[in-house]
Structure formats: C-alpha cells, structure tokens
Amino acid sequence: MILFITCSCREEHLIDYSSVTARINGKECRMFSGYNCEPVNRTFVGQEYLDNVLLRFESLNMAEHYKSTNSRDNDTVYVIRMSVLAKSYIIKPFCEVIFDEAEEDSNDLNSAFEKGEIVDEPKLSGQVIVSAIHKGLGYTEWIFSIASGVISFGEMLQKPHMLYGGERLVWKCEEAFFKFDAVSDDGKILHVTDGYCKL
C-alpha cells in the first residue's frame, strides 16, 4: 500500500515585535522584528507550583535603530533577562512589585521554585547583556546585573500545564511595565526606564 502525504507550506511573514521597548540610558530601544518569537521573548511567562509562581522575560535583541536593515546602524544591542519568584497571590494585575535588592543567579530562583520552598518576599534576578561594535576594537560584550527595580504586571492568562496533569498552571502576562538599574562588574550603571512588553 502506498500512502501519499501532502502538506501545504505557509508563507512566513516578518512580524513586528517593536512593542517590546525600554529606554536604556536615555535611548529608546525596541526589539527587532522577526519570523518567530516565543511568548517568553515578548512578555513574562512561567508556571505556578505549590502556591509559588516563577515568571521569566528574555527579550531578543533590542536597539535604538531597530528598523534598520543595516546592522552597522546599531553599534550597541541589548538583551534583557528577568526572572521573578513570588507567592502567586502577590502577582496581581496592575500592582507594583518593588525590588530593593536582586538575586545574583536566576538558577537559584529556579531551584527554589522546583523545591517548593517558602518565599516570604518576591525575588528578582536579571541581567542586561550589552553587545557593541567599536572601530578598531571589534566586538565587545558586557553583562550588567539587575540591582533593584519595579515591575507592574497586567492581566494574567492561566491554564493547566499539559506536562503536569493539571498539577501546575501556565501563566502568561498580557502586558507588563518595568524599570530597573543594572550594574557591571567594573561599576558601570545602566538605567532602564519605560520598559514595556506584551503578549
């Protein structure tokens, strides 16, 4: 018996992700357009487990001249990574969560979440990875660790996680606002304001 399988190819279109934005040291930067972008690259996404929720946001490349077709128009490109661990009842729509101090390693937050540890106060961990191209110096990369900040979460979409038989919930934030300061090992500071991301 011969089985014929036909499939139709969808035409891919460039999607505008520029609604993910932040003002970084005074420059308005937006995320580049692309062909595919997971929810975690557009907004805070995560899981609820044993009364805790762990949410992550990991932007794709962001830059001032995000519409440019020539990469040389952007001498500096930013990637923002943030993880938040908190009791699920704390993450309410349009309530600000203020962080005076950040955790150094997001793996610590993930480990605490998976173990179901008691979380008294919300915890934040995050980085900004800065890539730059300079004449004569070539490609350079710096890592800035988030020191303190504020996040305001919008409405949350929640549904049972397919892999855990309803024991965990998947959370997706429809939109979020953020601002923070981040510090490099050599003491340089990035001021990130007017941060915005959406599903």
Side-chain angles (χ1 to χ4, degrees):
M1 179 171 140
I2 300 174
L3 180 65
F4 292 96
I5 300 174
T6 60
C7 58
S8 59
C9 295
R10 287 187 316 178
E11 187 177 337
E12 290 193 56
H13 298 283
L14 199 65
I15 302 170
D16 181 7
Y17 296 121
S18 64
S19 57
V20 178
T21 181
R23 189 170 292 279
I24 303 174
N25 280 357
K27 294 181 183 178
E28 184 179 320
C29 298
R30 295 180 180 267
M31 202 163 83
F32 290 127
S33 300
Y35 290 102
N36 184 30
C37 181
E38 296 297 324
V40 73
N41 301 124
R42 301 193 305 271
T43 188
F44 284 88
V45 174
Q47 298 179 36
E48 178 184 340
Y49 175 56
L50 296 177
D51 297 327
N52 290 338
V53 62
L54 178 63
L55 297 171
R56 289 192 181 95
F57 166 63
E58 301 179 10
S59 79
L60 300 180
N61 289 336
M62 301 177 72
E64 189 175 11
H65 304 292
Y66 64 98
K67 286 185 176 179
S68 174
T69 55
N70 186 347
S71 61
R72 293 183 180 180
D73 290 341
N74 285 295
D75 62 346
T76 307
V77 175
Y78 305 88
V79 172
I80 297 173
R81 294 179 178 164
M82 287 187 278
S83 296
V84 178
L85 176 64
K87 287 292 185 191
S88 56
Y89 69 84
I90 289 176
I91 308 296
K92 294 178 181 177
F94 312 110
C95 286
E96 285 190 343
V97 182
I98 300 170
F99 302 92
D100 295 326
E101 186 178 350
E103 304 292 316
E104 288 194 18
D105 193 345
S106 62
N107 290 327
D108 293 341
L109 299 188
N110 189 65
S111 177
F113 174 76
E114 291 297 336
K115 291 175 183 175
E117 291 180 8
I118 295 172
V119 181
D120 295 324
E121 297 290 332
K123 296 182 178 182
L124 168 74
S125 177
Q127 297 177 328
V128 181
I129 299 166
V130 182
S131 306
I133 300 172
H134 297 288
K135 291 179 180 177
L137 297 175
Y139 176 84
T140 310
E141 185 176 278
W142 297 272
I143 296 176
F144 290 76
S145 297
I146 295 177
S148 60
V150 178
I151 302 173
S152 176
F153 298 100
E155 296 287 346
M156 288 286 179
L157 304 175
Q158 300 172 8
K159 65 179 183 179
H161 199 302
M162 292 177 62
L163 298 180
Y164 295 94
E167 184 181 285
R168 299 187 183 194
L169 290 177
V170 173
W171 284 40
K172 292 180 184 177
C173 184
E174 289 190 346
E175 64 177 356
F177 304 85
F178 56 87
K179 61 181 178 180
F180 59 81
D181 286 340
V183 184
S184 67
D185 287 341
D186 58 359
K188 293 178 182 173
I189 298 176
L190 277 183
H191 300 288
V192 177
T193 59
D194 301 328
Y196 178 74
C197 56
K198 72 174 204 174
L199 191 59

